[in-house]
Amino acid sequence: MDHSRTRELIRDVPDFPKPGIVFKDITPVLADPVAFREVLDDLAAYVRTIEAQVVAGIESRGFIMGAPVAAACSLPFVPIRKQGKLPYATITEEYDLEYGTAAIEAHVDAVQPGQRVVIMDDLLATGGTAAASVRLMERLGARVCGLAFVVELGFLNGRAALPGLNIHTLVRYD
Ligand code: AMP
């Protein structure tokens, strides 16, 4: 699928959230119904191709794509959230940030053993968040059959953090 419209809409915001980071702002894509529809259709086609049984979205921008794609594919949606947000019993995975660590969680009953899960987020950077999400799902016994992102920052080589996994991205920057 041609994503030139989406690529043109993604906005670079220099020095956000801190100096030296160029933030890829997808809000203009969300505000453009044609582009957003193209993004959702592409992601839904991928989810069907890999025969996923559950869509897991990473907080918070992974919810924006993951939930409508799950509904479009008539699949369950599962949130992967920052630590302390999920109300029921959880499991936790830590991952490294530039300085320090962060943690994400899923409910213990989010997926069933053996289920095929696709993990979704807006952007693949270093892959640390996605790799922690894979560990969470695998600890619950699920099989991660794919990961999908709207944007890939190819120069950060996030794919190296996700060896052997099927990865789908729509707009790549090298
Ligand atoms: P990483 O764990 O390094 O792959 O970072 C991925 C997460 O951080 C995703 O949830 C992204 O939303 C966010 N992120 C990292 N870098 C950027 C960036 N340059 N622009 C927008 N979001 C980013």
Side-chain angles (χ1 to χ4, degrees), residues 29-89:
V29 179
L30 307 178
D32 183 295
V34 173
F36 192 28
R37 169 55 51 202
E38 287 176 359
V39 165
L40 296 177
D41 286 350
D42 183 301
L43 294 171
Y46 172 69
V47 167
R48 291 190 190 101
T49 301
I50 62 173
E51 297 181 352
Q53 296 170 306
V54 177
V55 179
I58 304 176
E59 182 173 359
S60 59
R61 289 184 295 278
F63 298 172
I64 298 171
M65 274 71 63
V69 166
C73 296
S74 300
L75 294 176
F77 176 76
V78 163
I80 294 172
R81 297 209 62 179
K82 311 254 166 70
Q83 192 164 34
K85 300 285 187 184
L86 286 168
Y88 185 59

Side-chain angles (χ1 to χ4, degrees), residues 21-24 61 121-130 153:
I21 304 286
V22 179
F23 193 88
K24 297 291 183 188
R61 289 184 295 278
D121 203 355
D122 66 326
L123 183 141
L124 176 63
T126 67
T129 316
L153 302 183

Side-chain angles (χ1 to χ4, degrees), residues 136-147:
L136 267 186
M137 293 296 110
E138 289 181 344
R139 276 174 59 198
L140 293 174
R143 285 180 289 164
V144 177
C145 60
L147 298 103

